[in-house]
Amino acid sequence: VRSCANGSVIEVGDDACSPTRPATSPTEARRRRSRTKHDEARARVQRLSSCRKVLAMQTTCCDDEDKREIDSACSDVRTCSASIFDGKSGRFRAMSAENLDQSADERETDADEGEFATHRCVHVTLRRNRGVRKCVRCCLPQHLPSSAHDCPYWTTNSGAPVWNNNNSLTAGKRGPVLLEDYHLLEKLAQFDRERIPERVVHARGASAKGFFEVTHDITHLTCADLFRAPGVQTPVVVRFSTVVHERGSPETLRDPRGFAVKFYTRQGNWDLVGNNMPVFFIRDGMKFPDMVHAFKPNPKSNMQEPWRIMDFLSHHPESCHMLTFLLDDVGIPRDYRHMEGFGVHTFILLNAEGKETYVKFHWKPMEGVECLLDNDANKVGGENHSHATKDLYDSIAAGQFPEWGLFIQTMPIEDEFKQDFDPLDVTKTWPEDVFPLQPVGRLVLNRNVDNFFAENEQLAFCPAIIVPGIHYSEDKLLQTRIFSYADTQRYRLGANYLTLPANAPKAPHHNNHHDGAMNTVQRQEEVNYFPSQFDDVANARKYPIPSSKVSGQRERNVIEKENNFQQAGDRYRSWPADRQERFLHRLAGMLSDPRCTSRIRRIWIEYWTQADKDLGLKLSMRLSGGSSM
């Protein structure tokens, strides 16, 4: 199927489409010609039904007006036509739908006698672009690499039949095995390569599909097409994950959770790649590899050890705020359905006039936020280390579709320097009493993935993937993630990872990013450069981008408004006493690692004293063996 954006041709191949038809006996030909009119009518209805189903799948490429016109066209046989390949002349000749039925016997006779090979194409041309209509001869692959085209017997990867898939080819019944047993070698070689490199972070995860629906108008803030009007729905795929641990690790470990959403919009994909916590440990991507190394297992013992984490973070006081989330009760979500999500970074929205507004994105679960305390987590993880994946899958399968509301916080660009913190600092939140949450839409997950490997392991996200109307801010960590996330996917999945079905846009796209390892895109163009007199493809319509001037002296430095402790202390003081005690217990437990030196402990006592004097005093007493109650 080849389809284009609004106003272009949509061409659909008939289910019975075949580039060639073998000759048959006269008896078989007579049997075919004697089919009843009822059978012919039923076949026509089936063909049109197939056409309508395929066209219905093009939801991201057609607006409502196009869909109505397509449906009307599919309901009227007379609007369709067929192309018949003349084997004698070597050309296609058009055949109108009015003559399609009465000439069926004639076409079958021709095919049976080997004089013609038929190739059917059903065309629907939208009125707004009546002049653009072309016949596709063999653009529709007959045997796509899909289980839908499986044959009823075993074959090799190249399609050769396999008559024995149980026994190796040997010299005699007892062996040895012969090297010429290609099927055995291919089977083993494929098995040896079934696993791809797991993600360095976010290796453990689960995915689901659904839609995002706009519920509130924000066109005054952004010209992004997916937000164009209330009621607009956009297909999505969402991946939840743990961050630090390996692919098979328990889902009950105290660890941030990834919350990544891929929107398949009409203007290309948008990846909103965030976590279940609104802040992060560091603010500069220069430290990201070091941070991950500190949280990962000790390269000598292969065990995660608290002294390594607390040692590294002791050099980064901005991490205090993030620790009030990680070591808080919200540090272990009950499951993915009861978990918040945050875009974490500050982004920029641009409206049609080019006006810029800072924005932060929030996902709020409609079922509420629920978490596991330490003892509960140990019990749940002991019973099922994949409890969150199972909960997500079973809930969707049972029709209990999880749902989140999308909210935004906005800040005028001109207010950026009026705050006592840096609004682009990823270790800070925006106070909701000053920058209230504004509802935008809802996210519903109503379909499980069809294949875990294809739609979870090969699913790839990158904060650099945005659409017109949304742009990056100058957040240092975001700026480095723009490169790093795409780069790790190119290493893990290959240069053409964005052509994999889960990652490819559902909207039409066009570029000259050709070839490379595992490129399966079928291209027939002779011109793969731009510009050219032989290719009339043009630049897209210009859309607004940030207009602020970028200037400054080259330097390596920290931001001016660090303010590392205020928000951490405010959050701690907002908790009831029992919640404060649980946080203190976990914090002291980390610092009680025998390899945490007295210097490391003193640094942390100083940090937490600056955040809250009472907390610093309690921590000091707890670490010295005194009572802190």
Side-chain angles (χ1 to χ4, degrees), residues 13 61 119 196 213 220 251 368 373 457 520 559:
C61 303
H119 184 92
I196 60 176
E213 180 180 17
H220 61 290
E251 292 179 304
L373 297 182
E457 290 305 298
T520 60
I559 62 175

Side-chain angles (χ1 to χ4, degrees), residues 12-14 16-21 81-86 92-93 107 116-123 135-142:
V12 180
D14 191 354
C17 176
S18 176
T20 59
R21 295 184 62 176
S81 65
S83 301
I84 307 302
F85 181 71
D86 189 331
F92 276 84
R93 58 185 174 89
R107 295 199 318 279
F116 288 80
T118 63
H119 184 92
R120 294 277 310 286
C121 291
V122 179
H123 300 269
C135 178
V136 179
R137 179 169 173 178
C138 289
C139 69
L140 304 175
Q142 301 305 302

